[in-house]
């Protein structure tokens, strides 16, 4: 490496990233872990990662090294399903999905016709994501086109790789949140033109769920998805039993809730469906054969009483999934807390979520289902240098437990169990520190 390259940055500390899904944790080829590792970055990209002693010998003495004592470097977390406007709703209790949408979500989303409000909530949401170590996300806006302009504007300013879309919703919703098949299509096209593949931004075609879109709107969404195959598709499916019964009434010819989307051409690679709880065998097979993937939202599924995502049944078919917060149904922006809830959901079903796999599902697994793993989600060379330094001594108890841990898996489980935003010491975007500091 040239010593004249002044943009080279070197970070030293423990380091973990994934090459494949580690499954039950028994495959050492699925990940790289160095207890004393080095991450070498140039111009915002990963140049190399490896054991510190070996890599330092290849670098000129003059290169400054940032030491992360008691730090564990991992790729930035990827939240594969979150509603930025629902930053205003998190912690609204007492209802299951359909009542909760009416009572809390729709009134809060109605305020996003105001671009100023949208900008301020987008900024607050992105602060929360970064504070929790999340550097990329698949994000719902509201039905208002300006809500997406606001979100992408803030994400571009922070130089983040982000995916967002305008909600399509032309029936079964309040008047002030309703578009039409034609206006939803026009607005989506305008937003794709303005934002898709600009800077680090990507567009997601975003029908809210089958219950709030007419057949003509879903036809238009399917057409758009075929016309722009590198956009994402983002929606909800099979979350709540009352919701499923309602969709059955609205689309009596469909074999299942998921089948509604398939009939309209909305299952394909880069299609991400939140929840996927109440699936049968045929649904799981259709997810796999079409290339669609699930966002597993454990804190939301517990908070709204929706049900337990079945990890083993999904794995049995090879159905792809990754972790997501689903704020504001979800109870935290933190992927560490989300991993703990995922672990608990597995436990309740006598299933196992290995701590290495939990970290995979929050990093490379998320990048994969978003179709972005060639850019983010690991420390392979050439990837963008979005990463997090976790603090193995963030609190006295974490320090005590991590100090006693014998393996990286044991340390990860301590972080999962006890960690929150205090355990995220720093978040880097393209190699630059980006964790917002709390006001003193
Ligand atoms: N289904 C349709 N809209 C929503 C939403 O905003 N949150 C959740 N959790 N499920 C939905
Ligand atoms: Zn959601």
């Amino acid at each position: 490496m040239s010593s004249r390259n002044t943009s080279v940055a070197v970070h030293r500390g423990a380091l973990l990233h994934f090459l494949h899904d580690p499954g039950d944790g028994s495959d050492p080829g699925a990940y790289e872990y160095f207890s004393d590792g080095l991450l070498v970055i140039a111009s915002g990209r990963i140049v190399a990662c490896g054991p510190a002693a070996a890599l330092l010998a290849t670098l000129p003495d003059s290169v400054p090294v940032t030491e992360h004592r008691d730090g564990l470097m991992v790729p930035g977390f990827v939240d594969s399903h979150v509603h930025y406007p629902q930053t205003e709703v998190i912690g609204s209790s007492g209802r299951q999905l359909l009542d909760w949408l009416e009572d809390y979500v729709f009134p809060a989303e109605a305020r996003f016709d105001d671009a100023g409000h949208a900008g301020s909530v987008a900024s607050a949401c992105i602060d929360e994501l970064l504070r929790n170590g999340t550097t990329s996300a698949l994000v719902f806006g509201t039905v208002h086109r300006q809500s997406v302009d606001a979100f992408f504007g803030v994400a571009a300013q922070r130089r983040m790789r982000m995916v967002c879309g305008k909600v399509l919703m032309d029936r079964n919703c309040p008047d002030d949140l309703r578009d039409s098949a034609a206006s939803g299509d026009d607005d989506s096209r305008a937003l794709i033109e303005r934002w898709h593949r600009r800077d680090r931004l990507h567009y997601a075609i975003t029908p809210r769920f089958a219950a709030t879109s007419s057949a003509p709107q879903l036809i238009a969404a399917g057409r758009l998805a075929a016309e722009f195959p590198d956009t994402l598709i983002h929606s909800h499916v099979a979350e709540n039993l009352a919701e499923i019964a309602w969709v059955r009434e609205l689309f009596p010819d469909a074999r299942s809730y998921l089948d509604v989307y398939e009939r309209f051409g909305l299952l394909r690679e880069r299609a991400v469906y939140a929840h996927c709880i109440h699936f049968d065998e045929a649904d799981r097979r259709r997810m796999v054969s079409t290339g669609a993937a699930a966002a597993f939202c454990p804190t939301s599924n517990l908070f709204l009483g929706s049900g337990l995502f079945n990890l083993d049944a999904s794995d049995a078919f090879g159905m792809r999934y990754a972790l997501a917060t689903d704020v504001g149904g979800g109870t935290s922006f933190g992927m560490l807390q989300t991993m703990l809830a995922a672990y608990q959901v597995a436990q309740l079903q006598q299933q196992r979520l290995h701590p290495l796999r939990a970290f995979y599902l929050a990093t490379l697994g998320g990048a994969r289902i978003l179709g972005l793993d060639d850019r983010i989600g690991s420390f392979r060379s050439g990837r963008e240098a979005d990463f997090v330094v976790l603090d193995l001594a963030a609190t006295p108890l974490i320090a005590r437990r991590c100090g006693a841990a014998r393996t990286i898996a044991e340390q990860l489980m301590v972080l999962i169990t006890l960690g929150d935003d205090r355990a995220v010491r720093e978040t880097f975007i393209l190699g630059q520190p980006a964790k917002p500091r709390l006001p003193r």
Side-chain angles (χ1 to χ4, degrees), residues 52-392:
L55 266 182
L56 278 172
T58 70
L59 295 168
D61 291 344
S62 59
V63 172
V65 177
T66 305
E67 306 265 353
H68 299 292
R69 200 181 143 80
D70 294 321
L72 171 66
M73 295 180 274
V74 296
F77 295 132
V78 179
D79 184 345
S80 60
H81 174 72
V82 59
H83 300 250
Y84 97 79
Q86 294 179 22
T87 305
E88 302 298 85
V89 169
I90 188 168
S92 302
S93 73
R95 299 290 184 153
Q96 294 221 336
L97 176 66
L98 299 176
D99 291 325
W100 173 80
L101 286 174
E102 293 238 347
D103 292 351
Y104 302 112
V105 171
F106 291 157
E109 292 194 2
R111 297 185 62 202
F112 285 71
D113 64 337
D114 173 349
H117 178 68
S120 108
V121 177
S123 199
C125 173
I126 286 184
D127 279 351
E128 287 305 319
L129 292 170
L130 288 169
R131 184 170 293 126
N132 284 281
T134 296
T135 50
S136 288
L138 173 56
V139 183
F140 257 66
T142 65
V143 75
H144 314 94
R145 179 168 149 177
Q146 58 271 36
S147 74
V148 176
D149 285 328
F151 185 82
F152 276 142
V154 176
Q157 222 173 31
R158 314 277 186 106
R159 303 170 71 222
M160 295 172 78
R161 191 162 287 288
M162 280 288 182
V163 191
C164 186
K166 180 208 108 71
V167 167
L168 298 167
M169 178 154 74
D170 70 346
R171 64 168 171 171
N172 297 323
C173 61
D175 290 345
D176 54 356
L177 284 177
R178 184 172 308 164
D179 60 7
S180 67
S183 75
D185 193 54
D186 288 348
D187 285 347
S188 302
R189 284 173 188 277
L191 288 165
I192 290 171
E193 183 134 321
R194 179 176 302 167
W195 294 107
H196 185 54
R197 305 185 69 143
R198 170 169 154 192
D199 300 330
R200 304 180 75 202
L201 308 173
H202 307 258
Y203 194 77
I205 297 162
T206 309
R208 175 167 221 121
F209 64 150
T212 49
S213 284
S214 66
Q217 180 159 71
L218 293 173
I219 290 169
R223 198 184 308 126
L224 201 58
E227 214 175 301
F228 297 95
D230 66 343
T231 57
L232 283 87
I233 298 171
H234 187 194
S235 191
H236 299 91
V237 73
E239 175 177 7
N240 165 287
L241 295 176
E243 168 212 23
I244 293 168
W246 189 22
V247 170
R248 194 178 301 126
E249 278 172 30
L250 293 168
F251 297 94
D253 296 340
R255 193 202 66 81
S256 69
Y257 187 168
L258 186 74
D259 184 50
V260 175
Y261 296 120
E262 182 159 21
R263 284 166 178 240
F264 291 103
L266 292 167
L267 297 190
R268 61 149 163 78
E269 293 284 336
R270 287 177 297 285
V272 176
Y273 284 87
H275 307 295
C276 304
I277 298 170
H278 307 285
F279 264 7
D280 62 14
E281 210 173 279
D283 291 327
R284 293 191 177 95
R285 285 191 200 286
R286 297 312 296 153
M287 291 288 286
V288 175
S289 63
T290 57
F296 171 19
C297 312
T299 73
S300 168
N301 296 341
L302 294 169
F303 188 74
L304 293 174
S306 302
L308 304 178
F309 179 82
N310 193 328
L311 293 88
D312 282 0
S314 306
D315 292 338
F317 292 95
M319 189 179 110
R320 295 185 308 154
Y321 54 91
L323 278 176
T325 65
D326 192 26
V327 164
T331 54
S332 169
F333 279 96
M335 293 306 277
L336 293 173
Q337 290 97 322
T338 305
M339 291 183 221
L340 178 60
Y343 177 85
Q344 291 165 333
V345 163
Q347 285 284 67
L348 284 169
Q349 301 172 94
Q350 280 69 54
Q351 300 180 3
R352 281 225 58 200
L353 177 61
H354 192 281
L356 281 162
R357 184 146 198 250
F359 268 76
Y360 165 81
L361 293 174
T363 55
L364 182 61
R368 279 188 170 165
I369 72 165
L370 270 49
L372 296 174
D373 50 309
D374 56 340
R375 298 155 195 241
I376 57 169
S378 78
F379 292 148
R380 283 180 190 261
S381 96
R383 299 296 185 276
E384 296 160 349
D386 295 346
F387 68 101
V388 175
V389 181
L390 298 174
D391 190 344
L392 301 173

Side-chain angles (χ1 to χ4, degrees), residues 380-423:
R380 283 180 190 261
S381 96
R383 299 296 185 276
E384 296 160 349
D386 295 346
F387 68 101
V388 175
V389 181
L390 298 174
D391 190 344
L392 301 173
T395 67
L397 185 56
I398 291 176
R400 175 180 286 266
R401 288 290 292 112
C402 280
R406 289 159 305 171
T407 63
I408 178 61
E410 288 184 3
Q411 286 191 336
L412 295 180
M413 198 60 214
V414 171
L415 287 171
I416 290 171
T417 308
L418 300 173
D420 54 30
D421 56 340
R422 291 170 299 174

